[in-house]
Amino acid sequence: MFRLQENNTNVRTEMLAGLTTFLTMVYIVVVNPAILSAAGLPFEQVFMATVIAAIIGTLIMALGANYPIAIAPGMGMNAYFVTEVVQQDVSYSVILGTVFLAGILFVILSLTSLREILITAIPSSLKYGITSGIGLFIAFLGLRMSGIVVASESTLVTLGDLTAPGTVLTIVGLFVTLGLIARRVTGALFIGMVVTAILGMFTGQLSFEEGLISAPPAPVFWDIDLAGVFSNGLYTVIFAFLLVTIFDTTGTMIGVAEQAGFIRKDGSLPRARAALMADATATTAGAMFGTSPSSAYIESSSGVAAGGRTGLTTVVVAGLFLLSIFFSPLVGAVSNLAAITAPVLIIVGCFMMEGLAKINWQKFDDAFPAFIIILSMPLTSSIATGIAFGFITYPLLKLMNGNAKDVHWILYLFGFIFILQMIFFPGH
């Protein structure tokens, strides 16, 4: 079924690769509920929604596309979800509505050539700027969660009390995890969380009063408020979820596929449509159960490095995610201690800055739009605002320096829409 011989692999190698991928990305089972529960979503429901979205997306990738690329709710989008609930002063049911609509649009785009037009129309500098801006966005969240950075009346933010128990534990956990990554240890983020949790137990900051294992929480279909999306004019939020998910997934798939040798000589990716449907379906289903958009995980490259070449790798990943549903008390206790999850946010934020090296900083009309995206996302606590600034400044600068023909018409359209949105719907 998975054409193991054709792909020069075997069952043992694929199972080991699946375990490797799972260990490098299982942190999301803890981090995602920890972040989204801050928006008022019940922890156990987000936990189940995270696992369900991961299983659905990963199995579609395995059985439909036969790729060793795992899917789960994406980092960055979960933090953005929370800030939108707070900033827009709307219920999480409304923001889940934006995720659901973004998922439906993603499914439609994946069935047509519009997705490819969108990807090619948007310049690399904006794509790298968006990814890097999200990296700063979630790293800043990690710093705030841990108390390393706190609010200040005079300077907005300032250094927190580094002697506070939770902050000390965060810093120790951060350096433990950094050391593991520097030593190239497989599953460094997960192992770092385990070590931090053990230290938390010894210092009295972590206890397991509810036990470690229990029957899985019952998954719940959320009452998604689609009417609230339109009455609050949250079109930019839908666009932000859609755009970032498309870039995230496409970029990750290409990166992992190149590593595994799947890319054809003409640069195309076989079975790309089925692969993209995995992410789009997981996003839509995830919204129905109560989580933020899903994305392909770059951590899948660790499984490819371990020899994974087929969908059997991702079937193993999905199976291990299924087993995790029996550990909700353990995950709940761990996610309540910010010192365990904050180092992951800070380090993943760093990983997302990689694209900055690919921006041509000598070319001002490319560099400034990327810069304004990176600057504005963490400072406004809005990924959508960052995207809007980038899409407005890029075509304007190209117009001013006489390179208007270099810009795809879609960018002029988006730029105009974003200008109207900033004038008439500021803050949305």
Side-chain angles (χ1 to χ4, degrees):
M1 178 179 178
F2 296 106
R3 300 193 290 278
L4 299 180
Q5 284 187 329
E6 186 183 321
N7 287 284
N8 298 315
T9 184
N10 56 55
V11 173
R12 183 181 176 278
T13 301
E14 294 292 298
M15 292 190 75
L16 179 63
L19 176 62
T20 303
T21 296
F22 178 75
L23 286 176
T24 57
M25 64 181 289
V26 67
Y27 67 85
I28 195 64
V29 173
V30 178
V31 176
N32 201 48
I35 292 174
L36 290 186
S37 56
L41 277 81
F43 169 84
E44 288 190 338
Q45 300 311 323
V46 181
F47 169 71
M48 284 303 290
T50 302
V51 174
I52 289 167
I55 291 172
I56 289 173
T58 302
L59 281 180
I60 293 172
M61 181 70 75
L63 305 176
N66 196 27
Y67 284 142
I69 302 172
I71 304 283
M75 290 293 291
M77 290 290 94
N78 44 17
Y80 178 51
F81 184 104
V82 176
T83 57
E84 284 304 305
V85 170
V86 175
Q87 288 193 346
Q88 306 295 348
D89 193 26
V90 295
S91 71
Y92 53 75
S93 294
V94 174
I95 306 298
L96 281 173
T98 65
V99 177
F100 181 79
L101 290 171
I104 294 294
L105 288 171
F106 197 5
V107 170
I108 294 167
L109 287 173
S110 298
L111 292 171
T112 67
S113 59
L114 288 172
R115 179 193 57 82
E116 289 159 22
I117 293 170
L118 195 60
I119 290 168
T120 53
I122 297 170
S124 298
S125 59
L126 291 186
K127 293 174 190 172
Y128 296 135
I130 290 168
T131 305
S132 302
I134 294 170
L136 282 183
F137 182 85
I138 63 172
F140 185 49
L141 175 67
L143 292 171
R144 283 188 296 152
M145 280 173 54
S146 61
I148 294 174
V149 169
V150 295
S152 164
E153 284 188 14
S154 56
T155 59
L156 295 181
V157 291
T158 189
L159 189 66
D161 179 9
L162 299 186
T163 61
T167 308
V168 171
L169 184 58
T170 301
I171 294 169
V172 172
L174 177 62
F175 279 99
V176 167
T177 312
L178 288 172
L180 292 167
I181 292 170
R183 300 288 299 174
R184 301 183 186 277
V185 175
T186 299
L189 290 175
F190 176 67
I191 296 169
M193 289 174 71
V194 171
V195 172
T196 310
I198 292 169
L199 292 172
M201 289 172 62
F202 281 116
T203 56
Q205 298 179 61
L206 178 65
S207 62
F208 298 100
E209 295 172 2
E210 303 293 324
L212 301 177
I213 300 173
S214 73
V220 173
F221 276 108
W222 285 106
D223 180 20
I224 295 173
D225 187 357
L226 295 178
V229 176
F230 298 106
S231 63
N232 286 282
L234 300 179
Y235 308 111
T236 316
V237 180
I238 299 171
F239 184 70
F241 279 136
L242 175 65
L243 204 62
V244 174
T245 309
I246 288 174
F247 291 160
D248 233 10
T249 297
T250 308
T252 299
M253 279 186 196
I254 290 169
V256 177
E258 279 179 348
Q259 182 189 359
F262 298 142
I263 302 291
R264 290 173 176 156
K265 289 181 179 179
D266 63 356
S268 65
L269 176 66
R271 306 182 299 283
R273 186 165 290 180
L276 283 158
M277 280 300 294
D279 188 40
T281 308
T283 295
T284 310
M288 293 165 68
F289 285 100
T291 186
S292 47
S294 294
S295 174
Y297 263 61
I298 195 63
E299 284 83 352
S300 305
S301 59
S302 63
V304 170
R309 290 295 180 274
T310 73
L312 183 55
T313 293
T314 29
V315 166
V316 172
V317 174
L320 291 169
F321 268 116
L322 183 61
L323 282 177
S324 73
I325 64 174
F326 296 100
F327 294 90
S328 64
L330 173 107
V331 173
V334 167
S335 64
N336 278 332
L337 182 56
I340 298 174
T341 51
V344 174
L345 295 173
I346 296 165
I347 292 168
V348 171
C350 173
F351 289 157
M352 295 178 75
M353 305 299 286
E354 184 184 357
L356 289 180
K358 298 172 185 174
I359 296 171
N360 184 358
W361 294 101
Q362 305 300 317
K363 197 174 180 184
F364 187 75
D365 53 358
D366 278 349
F368 185 82
F371 164 75
I372 200 67
I373 291 171
I374 297 162
L375 182 69
S376 57
M377 279 188 186
L379 294 184
T380 63
S381 292
S382 173
I383 289 171
T385 300
I387 290 172
F389 285 168
F391 274 70
I392 290 168
T393 54
Y394 185 87
L396 277 176
L397 285 174
K398 292 291 182 181
L399 267 172
M400 289 174 184
N401 70 2
N403 292 320
K405 291 181 180 178
D406 295 344
V407 182
H408 197 285
W409 65 266
I410 285 179
L411 260 72
Y412 288 114
L413 176 63
F414 283 158
F416 180 69
I417 291 170
F418 279 129
I419 288 170
L420 293 178
Q421 179 256 324
M422 288 289 178
I423 295 170
F424 297 107
F425 302 99
H428 286 281

Short mmCIF file of all heavy atoms in Angstrom, two decimals, residues 1-10 14 63-67 270-271 309-312:
data_model
loop_
_atom_site.label_atom_id
_atom_site.label_comp_id
_atom_site.label_asym_id
_atom_site.label_seq_id
_atom_site.Cartn_x
_atom_site.Cartn_y
_atom_site.Cartn_z
N MET A 1 0.82 -1.21 0.00
CA MET A 1 0.00 0.00 0.00
C MET A 1 0.86 1.27 0.00
O MET A 1 0.56 2.25 -0.68
CB MET A 1 -0.90 0.00 1.24
CG MET A 1 -1.76 1.24 1.38
SD MET A 1 -2.80 1.15 2.85
CE MET A 1 -3.63 2.74 2.74
N PHE A 2 1.94 1.27 0.77
CA PHE A 2 2.79 2.46 0.87
C PHE A 2 3.99 2.41 -0.06
O PHE A 2 4.83 3.30 -0.05
CB PHE A 2 3.26 2.64 2.32
CG PHE A 2 2.14 2.91 3.28
CD1 PHE A 2 1.70 1.93 4.16
CD2 PHE A 2 1.49 4.14 3.30
CE1 PHE A 2 0.66 2.17 5.04
CE2 PHE A 2 0.46 4.39 4.17
CZ PHE A 2 0.03 3.40 5.05
N ARG A 3 4.09 1.32 -0.88
CA ARG A 3 5.18 1.15 -1.86
C ARG A 3 6.55 1.32 -1.18
O ARG A 3 7.38 2.14 -1.56
CB ARG A 3 5.02 2.15 -3.01
CG ARG A 3 3.70 1.99 -3.77
CD ARG A 3 3.71 2.75 -5.07
NE ARG A 3 3.67 4.19 -4.88
CZ ARG A 3 2.56 4.89 -4.64
NH1 ARG A 3 1.40 4.28 -4.56
NH2 ARG A 3 2.62 6.20 -4.50
N LEU A 4 6.75 0.50 -0.14
CA LEU A 4 7.98 0.58 0.65
C LEU A 4 9.22 0.26 -0.17
O LEU A 4 10.23 0.98 -0.11
CB LEU A 4 7.90 -0.35 1.87
CG LEU A 4 6.78 -0.05 2.88
CD1 LEU A 4 6.82 -1.05 4.03
CD2 LEU A 4 6.88 1.36 3.42
N GLN A 5 9.16 -0.84 -0.95
CA GLN A 5 10.34 -1.22 -1.75
C GLN A 5 10.68 -0.16 -2.78
O GLN A 5 11.85 0.18 -2.98
CB GLN A 5 10.08 -2.56 -2.44
CG GLN A 5 10.18 -3.76 -1.49
CD GLN A 5 10.09 -5.08 -2.24
OE1 GLN A 5 9.42 -5.17 -3.27
NE2 GLN A 5 10.76 -6.10 -1.73
N GLU A 6 9.64 0.36 -3.43
CA GLU A 6 9.85 1.40 -4.43
C GLU A 6 10.53 2.63 -3.84
O GLU A 6 11.30 3.33 -4.51
CB GLU A 6 8.49 1.79 -5.03
CG GLU A 6 8.55 2.76 -6.19
CD GLU A 6 7.16 3.15 -6.68
OE1 GLU A 6 6.27 2.26 -6.72
OE2 GLU A 6 6.96 4.33 -7.01
N ASN A 7 10.27 2.89 -2.56
CA ASN A 7 10.85 4.04 -1.88
C ASN A 7 12.10 3.69 -1.06
O ASN A 7 12.56 4.50 -0.24
CB ASN A 7 9.81 4.70 -0.97
CG ASN A 7 8.74 5.47 -1.74
OD1 ASN A 7 9.00 6.56 -2.23
ND2 ASN A 7 7.56 4.89 -1.89
N ASN A 8 12.61 2.48 -1.29
CA ASN A 8 13.84 2.03 -0.63
C ASN A 8 13.78 2.13 0.89
O ASN A 8 14.67 2.69 1.53
CB ASN A 8 15.05 2.83 -1.15
CG ASN A 8 15.27 2.64 -2.63
OD1 ASN A 8 15.22 1.51 -3.13
ND2 ASN A 8 15.49 3.73 -3.36
N THR A 9 12.70 1.61 1.46
CA THR A 9 12.57 1.63 2.92
C THR A 9 11.90 0.34 3.37
O THR A 9 11.56 -0.52 2.56
CB THR A 9 11.75 2.87 3.35
OG1 THR A 9 11.72 2.92 4.78
CG2 THR A 9 10.34 2.84 2.81
N ASN A 10 11.71 0.18 4.68
CA ASN A 10 11.05 -1.01 5.22
C ASN A 10 10.23 -0.64 6.45
O ASN A 10 10.29 0.51 6.93
CB ASN A 10 12.09 -2.10 5.58
CG ASN A 10 13.15 -1.58 6.54
OD1 ASN A 10 12.83 -1.08 7.61
ND2 ASN A 10 14.41 -1.73 6.15
N GLU A 14 10.40 2.80 8.86
CA GLU A 14 9.26 3.71 8.87
C GLU A 14 8.70 3.92 10.28
O GLU A 14 8.32 5.02 10.65
CB GLU A 14 8.15 3.18 7.95
CG GLU A 14 8.52 3.14 6.47
CD GLU A 14 8.67 4.52 5.86
OE1 GLU A 14 7.68 5.26 5.84
OE2 GLU A 14 9.79 4.85 5.44
N LEU A 63 -2.46 8.47 3.85
CA LEU A 63 -3.23 7.60 2.96
C LEU A 63 -3.51 8.23 1.61
O LEU A 63 -3.65 7.54 0.60
CB LEU A 63 -4.54 7.20 3.65
CG LEU A 63 -4.38 6.54 5.03
CD1 LEU A 63 -5.75 6.28 5.65
CD2 LEU A 63 -3.57 5.26 4.94
N GLY A 64 -3.61 9.57 1.57
CA GLY A 64 -3.92 10.25 0.32
C GLY A 64 -2.69 10.62 -0.50
O GLY A 64 -2.69 10.48 -1.72
N ALA A 65 -1.64 11.08 0.19
CA ALA A 65 -0.44 11.55 -0.52
C ALA A 65 0.77 10.62 -0.35
O ALA A 65 1.74 10.74 -1.08
CB ALA A 65 -0.08 12.95 -0.04
N ASN A 66 0.71 9.73 0.66
CA ASN A 66 1.81 8.80 0.94
C ASN A 66 3.12 9.53 1.23
O ASN A 66 4.18 9.15 0.75
CB ASN A 66 2.00 7.81 -0.21
CG ASN A 66 2.84 6.60 0.19
OD1 ASN A 66 2.89 6.23 1.36
ND2 ASN A 66 3.54 6.00 -0.77
N TYR A 67 3.03 10.59 2.03
CA TYR A 67 4.22 11.36 2.42
C TYR A 67 4.47 11.25 3.92
O TYR A 67 3.52 11.18 4.71
CB TYR A 67 4.05 12.84 2.05
CG TYR A 67 4.22 13.14 0.59
CD1 TYR A 67 3.42 14.09 -0.04
CD2 TYR A 67 5.19 12.49 -0.19
CE1 TYR A 67 3.56 14.38 -1.40
CE2 TYR A 67 5.34 12.77 -1.54
CZ TYR A 67 4.52 13.72 -2.13
OH TYR A 67 4.67 14.00 -3.48
N PRO A 270 4.81 15.73 -6.72
CA PRO A 270 3.74 14.78 -7.04
C PRO A 270 2.71 14.72 -5.91
O PRO A 270 3.05 14.89 -4.74
CB PRO A 270 4.48 13.43 -7.15
CG PRO A 270 5.92 13.78 -7.33
CD PRO A 270 6.14 15.08 -6.63
N ARG A 271 1.46 14.51 -6.27
CA ARG A 271 0.36 14.37 -5.31
C ARG A 271 0.23 15.58 -4.38
O ARG A 271 -0.16 15.46 -3.21
CB ARG A 271 0.52 13.08 -4.48
CG ARG A 271 0.68 11.82 -5.34
CD ARG A 271 0.79 10.56 -4.52
NE ARG A 271 1.95 10.55 -3.63
CZ ARG A 271 3.21 10.32 -4.02
NH1 ARG A 271 3.47 10.08 -5.31
NH2 ARG A 271 4.21 10.31 -3.15
N ARG A 309 10.16 7.56 4.48
CA ARG A 309 9.97 7.95 3.08
C ARG A 309 8.52 7.79 2.60
O ARG A 309 8.21 8.18 1.48
CB ARG A 309 10.87 7.11 2.16
CG ARG A 309 12.36 7.40 2.26
CD ARG A 309 12.69 8.81 1.78
NE ARG A 309 14.10 9.14 1.86
CZ ARG A 309 14.71 9.61 2.94
NH1 ARG A 309 14.01 9.80 4.05
NH2 ARG A 309 16.00 9.89 2.94
N THR A 310 7.64 7.22 3.43
CA THR A 310 6.27 6.96 2.97
C THR A 310 5.25 7.37 4.04
O THR A 310 5.61 7.79 5.15
CB THR A 310 6.06 5.46 2.66
OG1 THR A 310 5.99 4.74 3.91
CG2 THR A 310 7.18 4.89 1.82
N GLY A 311 3.99 7.19 3.67
CA GLY A 311 2.91 7.50 4.59
C GLY A 311 2.85 6.58 5.80
O GLY A 311 2.16 6.91 6.77
N LEU A 312 3.57 5.47 5.78
CA LEU A 312 3.59 4.59 6.95
C LEU A 312 4.20 5.32 8.15
O LEU A 312 3.78 5.12 9.29
CB LEU A 312 4.37 3.31 6.64
CG LEU A 312 4.41 2.26 7.75
CD1 LEU A 312 3.01 1.87 8.21
CD2 LEU A 312 5.19 1.01 7.30
#
